[in-house]
Amino acid sequence: MHNDHANERITNMLAQIEEIQPDLTALRRDFHHYPETGWLEMRTSAVIAKRLTELGYRVLTGRDVCQEGARLGVPAQEELEAHAQRALEQGAPQAYLTQDMREGYTGVIGILECGEGPTLAMRFDIDALGMCECEAQSHRPRAEGFASENPGMMHACGHDGHAAIGLGIAQILMAHREELHGTVKLLFQPGEEGARGAGAMVAKGHLDDVDVFIGSHIAPTESLDDGDVTAGTWGSLATVKYDVTFLGEAAHAGGYPEKGHNALLAAASAVLALHAIPRHSGGQSRVNVGTLHAGTGRNVVPDRATMQLEVRGETTEINTFMEESALAACRGAAMMQGCTLETTVMGRAEGQHSDLALIERIGDVVRRDLPHLRLSSEQNARNWGSEDISLMMNRVQAHGGLATYMRVMTPVAGAQHTVTFDFDEAVLGRSVAVFCAVALDILGA
Amino acid sequence: MHNDHANERITNMLAQIEEIQPDLTALRRDFHHYPETGWLEMRTSAVIAKRLTELGYRVLTGRDVCQEGARLGVPAQEELEAHAQRALEQGAPQAYLTQDMREGYTGVIGILECGEGPTLAMRFDIDALGMCECEAQSHRPRAEGFASENPGMMHACGHDGHAAIGLGIAQILMAHREELHGTVKLLFQPGEEGARGAGAMVAKGHLDDVDVFIGSHIAPTESLDDGDVTAGTWGSLATVKYDVTFLGEAAHAGGYPEKGHNALLAAASAVLALHAIPRHSGGQSRVNVGTLHAGTGRNVVPDRATMQLEVRGETTEINTFMEESALAACRGAAMMQGCTLETTVMGRAEGQHSDLALIERIGDVVRRDLPHLRLSSEQNARNWGSEDISLMMNRVQAHGGLATYMRVMTPVAGAQHTVTFDFDEAVLGRSVAVFCAVALDILGA
Amino acid sequence: MHNDHANERITNMLAQIEEIQPDLTALRRDFHHYPETGWLEMRTSAVIAKRLTELGYRVLTGRDVCQEGARLGVPAQEELEAHAQRALEQGAPQAYLTQDMREGYTGVIGILECGEGPTLAMRFDIDALGMCECEAQSHRPRAEGFASENPGMMHACGHDGHAAIGLGIAQILMAHREELHGTVKLLFQPGEEGARGAGAMVAKGHLDDVDVFIGSHIAPTESLDDGDVTAGTWGSLATVKYDVTFLGEAAHAGGYPEKGHNALLAAASAVLALHAIPRHSGGQSRVNVGTLHAGTGRNVVPDRATMQLEVRGETTEINTFMEESALAACRGAAMMQGCTLETTVMGRAEGQHSDLALIERIGDVVRRDLPHLRLSSEQNARNWGSEDISLMMNRVQAHGGLATYMRVMTPVAGAQHTVTFDFDEAVLGRSVAVFCAVALDILGA
Amino acid sequence: MHNDHANERITNMLAQIEEIQPDLTALRRDFHHYPETGWLEMRTSAVIAKRLTELGYRVLTGRDVCQEGARLGVPAQEELEAHAQRALEQGAPQAYLTQDMREGYTGVIGILECGEGPTLAMRFDIDALGMCECEAQSHRPRAEGFASENPGMMHACGHDGHAAIGLGIAQILMAHREELHGTVKLLFQPGEEGARGAGAMVAKGHLDDVDVFIGSHIAPTESLDDGDVTAGTWGSLATVKYDVTFLGEAAHAGGYPEKGHNALLAAASAVLALHAIPRHSGGQSRVNVGTLHAGTGRNVVPDRATMQLEVRGETTEINTFMEESALAACRGAAMMQGCTLETTVMGRAEGQHSDLALIERIGDVVRRDLPHLRLSSEQNARNWGSEDISLMMNRVQAHGGLATYMRVMTPVAGAQHTVTFDFDEAVLGRSVAVFCAVALDILGA
């Protein structure tokens, strides 16, 4: 099945990728310059939609990408409006900045139909983190003029690179469309941080017809001795994130303390009960109340306490146990103080596993087609933290498809999620190569 | 209205009381010798019923005294049966130890009807405390052979004296029946400790037709310089006592902690929330979780936690606030851990106030008829703790009657509720004199 | 002792007060227009210092008023500097706005020495509250153009009036200086709100030589039927206010929760233990954790939790019990989680009592010299809340002097400490009259 | 090295074991009939010491077996004395029931020295559980007359069998002494339940010179299809068990609550903080407060609260983290309430691992010498719970020796630690065979 013709195609493709490396770098730096946090990726989405359209893809945006009512942790209306204005000022292509996007329906899907054949979906997350970028000149994005223009927002996780990689893939695959049999779906996902966006794309049905699903993350490595690519990952924790508010009744703490319903007391009881949820014999679990804000003044019984919490589990089942226990703890705590309770799901990810058959197939492709890249050890495939790509993988697998979540290794400056994060942009081309080689293998004749 | 005839009657009565002082002492020592805690006052009730019957009173016992379903904190069936057996062995007059009494319907009412006139009720509580009496020979009841025969039970609050006083009054008033116009009710109440018995007598309706209601307590004083009698008291706290049990689900703490529902965690949360009930600006409040017992073994998630708690309030309203807050705290705590909750009211007393008009009338009687006794200052009338006589007083007052709770002072050995408590038995005659002088005044021509 | 000459003096004085009523109103409105919170009363102090100087008083300001190191709850340096600039812009007399004042040493003392005789001190608190004034035109200060110019600051407690009253008294007493024998001290105190300022004036020794001490507060009444003046107050609670910070160790809540030291868990334990401090049988007590702020992000173990708390007690002893119990609770909570603890006293007031002899003397003066004013019932003298004037009163009384805290009644719009607070400015003249009549009585021949 | 001679020895040995199977059963039933819990194994130890002595072993007992001061969870003096009396009544050989044993220094060591060669130690735990045996006639030990004679004590974990196996091995190896080169140590350990005894034998130095160490446990299996023997185990949790007492100050909860130091409040805070110790990213951890008992009466501030707690960890490091966190939680909780704290270690086990080299060697022995036995899968080797044999294994390994903890499978009636536990006594002979074959292999020529 694999022959000289195939070899030639690959050689050809690798040359093309080398050619567009400067474009990839420029794209990544543009996204880095104008980072946008979850549901505010308006400029980002408009740039991507414009590019995909120009390349010839069928493009979905807005409410065609994310199901109404299924987005988690959407900012307030005023924040959306203010940012839409800024996006325009920062050069968002006006024709592509739709009303839906301005309402927080960000994210883009590019579809390339090449006749009969399987459907291959690839996912690229595009949102930034809510943090301020390093001010020091020793930080390369600062020195070279592409550091964040948006206070309190920074691409410190590499999603700027992911967006650029997705557009690079779009270009390469379009050039090879004649060699493909089936359908390519490029999913540019908003709101991955906090696990807020994948569910809305899943709810819209975009994963229901997918036969093969691939995602990847740029991954830090001190040197490249451990290899360049892992074809799958393991160990990610399922999670759910809640905002919880206890509402009581204020009262003057000196004059009439008995007239109050103390929301802070309720929250304090909840904090203790949450952390005291039993350990699970089935595997790792987690719980954290990351923030708590309560009260208005020293001498007033607090009538409001708001906390941001999350639970995790090594499996979806453990995570569900944690979630149910957490809600019971909060409900009981509210009842103790005669308070009411408001809970809002702010993010959700499930347990995930990469299919062994797909991991092995990708391994074969890398060894055969990309011999300059080395496959990493299983240890490198340990995926700390939680990722809502799990929702997409699980949906694909539920319908009988195969899914994997890869990592492409790169040296980094500063750790992920720190203000000095930056990476070697050579990883962009490497990533494009892996995705495209796999696409050619799966959709090739 | 008051004249020589009256003076003569009083002089006569005081002489009679002096005469029966040895009987009063003997009665008190008999009760002290065989103390019986709440709802176990079987021998005590039988002795009282026999005496009242022999004196010519109409006598109510058993279910005619306490309303079914209204007794609080009744011991288990086995304990009732075992004690009934012991009561017989300790000389309870068999003909008066009714089946009702053996089932824990203790308490006796003696009624003396003397034609037209007001109804005067007097209350005497008869139960002992659940504690062991001092073993030392320096303790007079031990030295003189009338210390408790019943392990874990002791008259350490003076109710042995109260019962004797009640019988003394019965004798004196019967002797003076020709001079009385109206009805005398002598209420011998079970289960005052823990505030368990008064409610059941009130529920039976015995206070509904009462015009004047008087109770008293033997009260410790270091010397008698502060006076001998207070015609009223103030400051008693309303209270309610609960037994609370959290029921969860056991699990092996090493093997499957997630399968448990931890009743001890629920109880611990409740303990903290209970003590954190807001202070009340309207006056003193109290809360105490006096005991907590939970769990079966070190390596088992506790499926059961039982606690004895009480709340108090300077007014019935404050106490109700405490009770409702406490129940909310327990219910919420149970919900937090997926436990169920059982609550049982074990005792209840209300706020109380002695009617000023009655206090003044009694003051007049003491000054006029009992000039050898001095009225105490208001400070001595401060009544620490809680008393379910409040339920009787409030019922009388609700129907337009007058009520007061007096104290008759006496030197004591050891404080009340301690193992060395004992008192100077001269207080028995003094108490009989006060009650009878007031009765003659109120029911006299 | 009291005679026609005296009567004439009083009549004369009352006429003068009526004459300056427009000035009092203008002064009060100027202070209301430029409210300044604790330790920022720079413009206010400069205006007062200028006026007292011009009237001929010996004037103390800055570090001569408040002891270094004894001020509580002083704002940060930047806030002091920014406000000093604003004070100048708002017309603070530059010559009187000293460097000390700019550093937050606000407060002024005016001294009038009139030869041999007792020392009479009067106290006027001058700070505003940290709240925004009502925007509605129905609010008189808004309609008449003297509403607050300083966002987040408002005279909603009447201290604008107190400052004006103090200056009115200064003028009247200076006019009557020939009739006085002894020393007058007018204490314009900063930082009464939060009980932050009195201690620093006491620490400087200004109360050590005082024989008679008088303070007063404008007090709301629905009508004036309850009287115009109370010569003393009772029932104020001693208090201490703390800012408490728990410092732990952050950690990624998903990756390495065991590496954290959870400051929020410590704070939650403390909140529960604080509210669970035992009730005190000696009288009312209070505790409140008014605000709690903890954590930096949902997925990070909180390394910092800050809370504002206060305790109170009906007596200084009860308050001390509460304070010590609260500190133990916080220390233990920190230890539980391996956190460190920072505690800062932000305010302190003691229990207080007005001397009966002084109350009676003032009552006599009012009845004799100010017959148009009626003395209020004792009920009106109930002083809810806490006041650091207690520190001054207690120091005076400790040295054998007499002290009282009066109330002068007035109709108000909106309750104290609400955004619509305003009062009938006739109370200014009434207050000046009471203070001056008392001063003439005490220091008069 | 292995030859016909060896084969003959094994065949010979297996025949001997078959011969003594009735003795093994009788011994096991005798131990089952007279079960003895930790540090009360007086009759058991005397029986073992007598048998070993008669077989010709050098025998250590009493303070020569367990280090003074190192035993954990020793019963009270009265309990020791009462049980010693009962042991005699139940036929303990009086000559072997030493004074040390009567003081709770139970456990026996039998030593067989066979010249030059390695030291092989084998461990047999001998204590019963604190529970009542099933009363039903369907329970074989009841039906056949060897159920527990000691109320509240039962061999429900198989240690009766372990003791019998140890004596069986003693007999077989003595018969083969001529074929051995080195030293055999048979360790009969007291107090394994609760992890109380191993540490005291380790502290005495008995493991310091051991080259190879083997222990085993009778292990339940539904059928024997999963194999008969596992040569090692994995997954056991390190643990430490504490008894913790909070000591405060009692006070009347109605009269003077402020005079108390509430030990129950301290305990409740500790319970919550204990369960809230962070999860550990390094593996499984556990915490349980299994029992809590506090307080003396409903209306008394509790001055004493006692709890039994345990923590566990997948590694000794995790367990140490749990232990240190638990102690900090208790110390802080005591401080919060002004209580003192008493903590007593009641048991301790460490993490353990069986040496792969030894597992493989034993596997070879079983395959070669005991072909009628099948080795189990690794899954069967999962060792739930905690075992203080870990302390012995770790000590041996620390000195460079090899250690393993095996399981010999058997059908059971009722699960371990339940009242109907019983097992097929054929496992006794199987176990003796495995130990002896390994001993011949290691100490054989």
Side-chain angles (χ1 to χ4, degrees), chain A residues 237 240-243 251-258 262 264-265 267-269 271-272 275 285-302 307-310 312 337 346 384-385 417, chain C residues 237 240-243 251-258 262 264-265 267-269 271-272 275 285-302 307-310 312 337 346 384-385 417:
Chain A
L237 300 174
V240 59
K241 285 98 164 65
Y242 274 92
D243 279 2
H252 190 277
Y256 300 99
E258 74 276 11
N262 193 323
L264 173 54
L265 269 180
S269 292
V271 166
L272 287 164
H275 285 273
S285 60
R286 296 283 185 277
V287 57
N288 195 53
V289 181
T291 67
L292 173 60
H293 296 286
T296 57
R298 188 189 305 278
N299 63 349
V300 181
V301 175
M307 56 200 203
Q308 295 178 295
L309 67 89
E310 62 172 24
R312 306 187 195 222
Q337 300 296 335
M346 299 301 286
W384 286 101
H417 290 222
Chain C
L237 300 173
V240 60
K241 285 97 162 66
Y242 273 93
D243 280 359
H252 190 277
Y256 301 98
E258 75 276 11
N262 194 323
L264 173 54
L265 269 180
S269 292
V271 165
L272 286 165
H275 285 272
S285 60
R286 294 284 185 277
V287 58
N288 196 53
V289 181
T291 67
L292 172 60
H293 296 286
T296 56
R298 189 190 305 278
N299 63 349
V300 182
V301 175
M307 57 199 201
Q308 294 178 297
L309 67 88
E310 62 172 24
R312 305 188 195 222
Q337 300 296 334
M346 299 301 287
W384 285 103
H417 289 221

Side-chain angles (χ1 to χ4, degrees), chain B residues 7 32 45 66 76-77 128 163 176 209 218 221 239 266-267 282 293 302 341 353 365 409 438:
Chain B
N7 286 344
H32 194 92
S45 295
C66 286
Q77 188 58 29
H176 289 258
D209 62 351
I218 292 176
T221 185
T239 188
H293 296 285
L341 181 71
H353 78 276
V365 169
M409 315 312 283
V438 171

Side-chain angles (χ1 to χ4, degrees), chain B residues 242-243 254 286 292-293 298, chain D residues 242-243 254 286 292-294 298:
Chain B
Y242 274 93
D243 280 0
R286 295 283 186 279
L292 172 60
H293 296 285
R298 188 189 305 278
Chain D
Y242 274 93
D243 279 0
R286 295 284 184 277
L292 172 60
H293 296 286
R298 188 189 305 280

Side-chain angles (χ1 to χ4, degrees), chain D residues 31 39 41 44-45 47-49 51-52 55 57 59-61 65-66 106-111 122-127 159-171 185-191 197 201 392:
Chain D
F31 291 133
W39 310 118
E41 310 92 332
T44 308
S45 295
V47 166
I48 292 168
R51 183 91 168 207
L52 291 175
L55 284 170
Y57 279 79
V59 175
L60 305 180
T61 65
V65 171
C66 285
T106 50
V108 185
I109 297 177
I111 299 170
M122 308 183 199
R123 178 269 212 162
F124 315 97
D125 40 358
I126 64 175
D127 56 322
H159 299 186
D160 47 352
H162 296 174
I165 290 164
L167 292 178
I169 293 165
Q171 183 173 351
K185 276 192 185 182
L186 304 178
L187 309 174
F188 293 85
Q189 180 204 312
M201 295 179 79
M392 295 180 169

Side-chain angles (χ1 to χ4, degrees), chain D residues 339-415:
Chain D
C339 291
T340 56
L341 181 71
E342 292 177 356
T343 62
T344 310
V345 175
M346 299 302 286
R348 185 182 294 280
E350 298 177 349
Q352 56 169 265
H353 77 276
S354 296
D355 286 295
L356 194 58
L358 186 54
I359 291 173
E360 288 176 353
R361 180 159 184 179
I362 293 173
D364 290 344
V365 169
V366 170
R367 274 185 292 266
R368 184 189 67 203
D369 294 342
L370 308 170
H372 59 298
L373 298 184
R374 282 147 314 142
L375 288 162
S376 244
S377 69
E378 193 194 10
Q379 193 50 41
N380 254 357
R382 180 75 172 83
N383 178 32
W384 286 101
S386 304
E387 237 285 17
D388 66 358
I389 197 171
S390 53
L391 300 169
M392 295 180 169
M393 293 169 71
N394 289 337
R395 177 60 65 96
V396 169
Q397 290 164 338
H399 286 83
L402 296 175
T404 195
Y405 185 44
M406 310 185 298
R407 314 180 86 180
V408 185
M409 315 310 283
T410 177
V412 296

Side-chain angles (χ1 to χ4, degrees), chain A residues 8-28:
Chain A
E8 192 187 318
R9 280 194 322 218
I10 291 291
T11 308
N12 184 10
M13 184 191 82
L14 291 174
Q16 288 171 326
I17 294 173
E18 199 165 334
E19 213 166 282
I20 67 169
Q21 175 70 40
D23 295 345
L24 294 173
T25 297
L27 270 169
R28 178 258 165 164

Side-chain angles (χ1 to χ4, degrees), chain A residues 36-37 127-131 152-157 193 416-418:
Chain A
E36 299 178 305
T37 54
D127 56 320
L129 281 157
M131 50 192 293
M153 299 183 181
M154 176 189 174
H155 271 296
C157 190
E193 300 293 346
Q416 282 175 309
H417 290 222
T418 68

Side-chain angles (χ1 to χ4, degrees), chain C residues 387-440:
Chain C
E387 238 285 19
D388 66 359
I389 195 170
S390 53
L391 300 170
M392 295 181 170
M393 294 169 71
N394 288 337
R395 178 61 65 99
V396 169
Q397 290 164 338
H399 285 83
L402 296 175
T404 195
Y405 185 45
M406 310 186 299
R407 313 181 85 180
V408 185
M409 314 311 284
T410 177
V412 295
Q416 281 174 311
H417 289 221
T418 69
V419 298
T420 56
F421 180 71
D422 189 19
F423 58 84
D424 177 356
E425 286 145 342
V427 76
L428 301 175
R430 271 204 302 280
S431 298
V432 171
V434 174
F435 274 98
C436 289
V438 172
L440 284 182

